[in-house]
């Protein structure tokens, strides 16, 4: 104790006494609130935009396999992005790096690995026609991601991260994956290139936005 | 958590026991202050940074995960405050007239307080030279070295504080070690550690 500046202890304790009382369940309350907001947002947008008309005709592996995979990926990425970690600094950097790099890649590959029922695509008889809808889907994906990204950042606010930009990128990837899920439920254009460019690739700009915000708020 | 008194005290504080902050301070502040003082080489600034770090912890206490490691968290906050202070052009001056006052947990070659005066003087000069060398190399390398060799943290903890991978931390510490070896030869190492030290760091 003798090595510490005299009076520092008293100053710290006096300042701390002025702080508002702690609410121990703050993080849990925030997590529940964020989960409710995201769920509500997903439900409202799917309801407002409508479920794809060819849902009953789709192969189960494509329709429900993709749905389940996207839910799992988005939930896992969200959980990873908001995790407090062993030392209140989030997950280890290598975990964030691997997942942030792998998620867009895996989701993009999924578009090709899982056979897309192009023939059932409503109103799209050609690749060119399918691709003509891609920019619009991309813009919608960005718009759909925004509230989810806001909810995830709100949940994690006030905490620092070991790798602020990477953590923000993970939150961006999570938000864009939730948006991809809405697209999967709504957009009937199933051409792999359309899914890749209109549904999956918007992950990248949302990740970049997340990284830029994360650099500011998690350091 | 009986063997982790700091985390135990922080958990109690986060749960609403305001009196536990004094225990958190008593357990954390000495090593935090020493770390920050070595990092910025300015006792006044280290005091400010320690103060601000505790205030950040106080503000974030409601978000504390029970049992989470406190030292890497606090070091990380303190280091970022220091980097912010550099960015905002606050005064960061190494004061040669203000030798280290902090306790040293694992510094090589620091003699016991009862050791002969000449031994203490030479050890003090050596410590100054080490700090001079560390001040001349990139901050990330110097901090990696300090965290591993002076603070005695695990590589994983240092990686969390520095926001990088464990491999990168080892590499940075190794580069700092090489810089010290080049500048000071082997005189800065504790004799019994010289033999196996190189293999350990690399």
């Amino acid at each position: 104790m003798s090595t510490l500046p005299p009076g520092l202890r008293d100053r710290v304790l006096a300042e701390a006494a002025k702080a508002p009382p702690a609410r121990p369940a703050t993080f849990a309350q925030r997590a529940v609130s964020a989960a409710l907001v995201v769920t509500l947002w997903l439900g409202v947008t799917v309801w407002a935009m409508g479920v794809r008309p060819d849902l009953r005709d789709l192969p189960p592996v494509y329709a429900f396999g993709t749905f389940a995979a996207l839910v799992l990926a988005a939930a896992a990425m969200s959980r990873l992005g908001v995790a407090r970690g062993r030392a209140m600094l989030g997950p280890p950097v290598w975990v964030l790096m691997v997942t942030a790099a792998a998620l867009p890649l895996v989701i993009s590959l999924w578009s090709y690995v899982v056979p897309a029922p192009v023939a059932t695509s409503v109103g799209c008889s050609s690749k060119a026609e399918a691709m003509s809808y891609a920019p619009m889907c991309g813009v919608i994906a960005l718009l759909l991601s925004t509230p989810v990204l806001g909810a995830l950042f709100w949940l994690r606010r006030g905490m620092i991260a070991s790798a602020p930009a990477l953590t923000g990128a993970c939150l961006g990837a999570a938000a864009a994956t939730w948006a991809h899920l809405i697209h999967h439920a709504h957009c009937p254009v199933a051409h792999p290139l359309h899914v890749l460019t209109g549904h999956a690739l918007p992950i990248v700009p949302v990740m970049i936005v997340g990284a830029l915000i994360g650099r500011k708020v998690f350091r | 958590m009986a063997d982790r008194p700091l985390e135990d005290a922080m958990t109690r504080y986060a749960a609403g026991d305001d009196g536990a902050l004094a225990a958190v301070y008593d357990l954390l502040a000495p090593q935090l202050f020493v770390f920050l003082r070595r990092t910025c080489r300015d006792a006044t600034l280290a005091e400010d940074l320690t103060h601000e770090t505790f205030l950040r912890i106080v503000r974030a206490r409601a978000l504390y995960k029970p049992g989470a490691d406190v030292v890497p968290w606090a070091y990380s906050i303190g280091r970022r405050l220091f980097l912010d202070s550099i960015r905002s052009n606050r005064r960061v001056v190494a004061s040669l007239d203000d030798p280290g006052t902090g306790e040293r947990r694992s510094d090589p070659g620091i003699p016991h307080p009862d050791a002969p005066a000449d031994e203490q003087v030479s050890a003090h000069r050596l410590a100054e030279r080490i700090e001079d060398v560390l001040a001349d190399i990139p901050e990330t390398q110097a901090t990696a070295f300090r965290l591993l060799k002076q603070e005695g943290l695990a590589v994983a903890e240092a990686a969390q504080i520095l926001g990088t991978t464990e491999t990168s931390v080892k590499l940075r510490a190794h580069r700092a070690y090489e810089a010290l070896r080049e500048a000071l030869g082997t005189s800065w190492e504790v004799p019994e550690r010289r033999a196996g030290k190189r293999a350990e760091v690399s």
Side-chain angles (χ1 to χ4, degrees):
Chain A
M1 290 294 291
S2 59
T3 62
L4 285 167
L8 178 59
R9 187 178 193 271
D10 294 337
R11 287 205 307 279
V12 167
L13 296 181
E15 289 271 355
K18 296 177 193 166
R23 291 182 299 144
T26 298
F27 189 78
Q29 287 168 0
R30 280 191 199 177
V32 171
S33 303
L36 282 175
V37 166
V38 171
T39 307
L40 197 66
W41 175 247
L42 296 176
V44 166
T45 47
V46 170
W47 173 78
M49 293 165 65
V51 177
R52 57 195 299 169
D54 61 343
L55 188 62
R56 286 165 190 259
D57 304 326
L58 294 172
V61 173
Y62 178 78
F64 301 107
T66 303
F67 186 85
L70 286 174
V71 168
L72 280 177
M77 209 63 183
S78 304
R79 174 77 183 81
L80 189 73
V82 301
R84 290 175 287 185
R86 280 182 54 194
M88 295 297 295
L89 297 169
V93 175
W94 70 268
V95 174
L96 295 172
M97 285 171 74
V98 168
T99 48
L103 185 76
L105 204 64
V106 169
I107 287 181
S108 300
L109 284 175
W110 183 276
S111 310
Y112 284 95
V113 173
V114 177
V118 180
T120 67
S121 291
V122 177
C124 287
S125 55
S126 67
K127 173 185 164 186
E129 195 173 358
M131 287 304 291
S132 68
Y133 290 109
M136 189 174 67
C137 277
V139 171
I140 291 173
L142 296 180
L143 295 175
L144 291 175
S145 303
T146 306
V148 184
L149 190 63
L152 293 173
F153 268 95
W154 175 81
L155 166 56
R156 209 191 184 289
R157 80 185 196 283
M159 291 187 279
I160 63 170
S162 182
L166 262 177
T167 304
C170 283
L171 294 182
T177 308
W178 286 117
H180 190 166
L181 183 72
I182 300 173
H183 262 316
H184 179 69
H186 163 72
C187 180
V189 183
H191 194 285
L193 271 178
H194 171 88
V195 174
L196 180 67
T197 54
H199 302 184
L201 280 188
I203 288 179
V204 176
V206 182
M207 281 178 74
I208 292 171
V209 170
L212 293 174
I213 300 173
R215 276 182 67 184
K216 293 284 182 192
V217 301
F218 296 148
R219 66 179 312 282
Chain B
M1 265 193 287
D3 56 338
R4 303 178 74 209
L6 178 56
E7 283 71 22
D8 184 36
M10 188 64 213
T11 300
R12 283 188 283 116
Y13 181 53
D17 177 5
D18 288 345
L21 179 62
V24 173
Y25 180 91
D26 292 342
L27 291 163
L28 176 63
Q31 54 183 313
L32 176 65
F33 177 74
V34 170
F35 167 69
L36 292 171
R37 196 192 177 293
R38 282 179 180 145
T39 301
C40 66
R41 306 189 73 192
D42 181 327
T44 307
L45 180 57
E47 182 179 344
D48 292 346
L49 294 174
T50 304
H51 185 226
E52 182 60 28
T53 301
F54 270 97
L55 295 187
R56 297 280 178 104
I57 289 173
V58 167
R59 284 198 285 269
R61 69 192 186 283
L63 301 169
Y64 178 74
K65 185 170 98 176
D69 295 341
V70 176
V71 170
W73 183 36
Y75 278 27
S76 196
I77 295 172
R79 177 174 174 268
R80 285 173 198 201
L81 289 169
F82 167 63
L83 295 176
D84 286 346
S85 76
I86 292 175
R87 290 193 187 101
S88 60
N89 293 322
R90 280 173 60 179
R91 186 174 62 92
V92 181
V93 181
S95 172
L96 295 175
D97 297 326
D98 184 16
T101 54
E103 62 182 4
R104 293 172 185 270
R105 288 192 343 199
S106 57
D107 274 1
I110 299 301
H112 190 272
D114 295 337
D118 56 343
E119 191 180 327
Q120 291 202 34
V121 168
S122 81
H124 178 68
R125 284 183 182 153
L126 182 59
E128 279 188 347
R129 289 180 66 199
I130 289 173
E131 292 302 324
D132 287 342
V133 173
L134 291 177
D136 288 339
I137 63 177
E139 187 270 340
T140 51
Q141 292 177 19
T143 305
F145 182 86
R146 286 191 179 103
L147 292 172
L148 294 183
K149 300 300 169 188
Q150 293 180 321
E151 302 300 320
L153 296 187
V155 176
E157 291 176 319
Q160 287 261 289
I161 292 167
L162 291 168
T164 188
T165 60
E166 294 180 20
T167 307
S168 176
V169 168
K170 288 179 190 169
L171 189 63
R172 290 174 186 181
H174 176 69
R175 285 180 178 152
Y177 171 84
E178 288 297 321
L180 282 166
R181 199 164 65 107
E182 191 176 325
L184 307 174
T186 55
S187 61
W188 61 284
E189 293 181 307
V190 181
E192 59 268 26
R193 292 183 65 189
R194 279 180 198 150
K197 182 70 172 291
R198 207 162 300 155
E200 178 195 327
V201 172
S202 58

